[in-house]
Amino acid sequence: MSRSFFITNNQVVFIANGEGADLRCRAHSTVVPPYAQVPTRTNPRSETVFVVEAGTLEFMVLGAVAHVAAGDFVRVPPGHAFAYRNVGAEAAHLLSRCVPPVHKTCSVTLSIAAA
């Protein structure tokens, strides 16, 4: 099995409050191709929560690394560096939401159908 990865830009679909909108909260649906890696990022003012809908991803948050499979979630506090990559041979599907910690009134409910 090859351990090489290539870096990709996210193919993101906004499902709540797209770019340029009132960004009290945002939600995205992302498809990560097989063996693709998303570069390190930081959301300085927003908490980010990821839910893996399908596939297995390797997440790095502040230097700690773990594999995250379908049904699992990862919480990234504001200002913490994170990156992820698809460690499987099939596309991974990822849902995410970003909420600044000062806005407690915005919520996004993500519904995931059982297999």
Side-chain angles (χ1 to χ4, degrees), residues 33-87:
Y35 307 112
Q37 179 169 321
V38 175
T40 302
R41 299 171 178 204
T42 303
N43 288 328
R45 296 180 306 264
S46 297
E47 172 186 84
T48 306
V49 175
F50 297 94
V51 177
V52 179
E53 194 173 26
T56 301
L57 297 167
E58 183 178 68
F59 261 87
M60 182 277 302
V61 178
L62 259 181
V65 178
H67 284 194
V68 183
D72 294 338
F73 74 95
V74 175
R75 180 184 164 270
V76 181
H80 287 61
F82 66 91
Y84 53 89
R85 63 183 178 176
N86 185 343
V87 294

Side-chain angles (χ1 to χ4, degrees), residues 15-39:
I15 54 178
N17 292 341
E19 288 294 330
D22 177 3
L23 297 181
R24 283 178 291 187
C25 68
R26 287 189 321 250
H28 311 97
S29 174
T30 306
V31 176
V32 184
Y35 307 112
Q37 179 169 321
V38 175

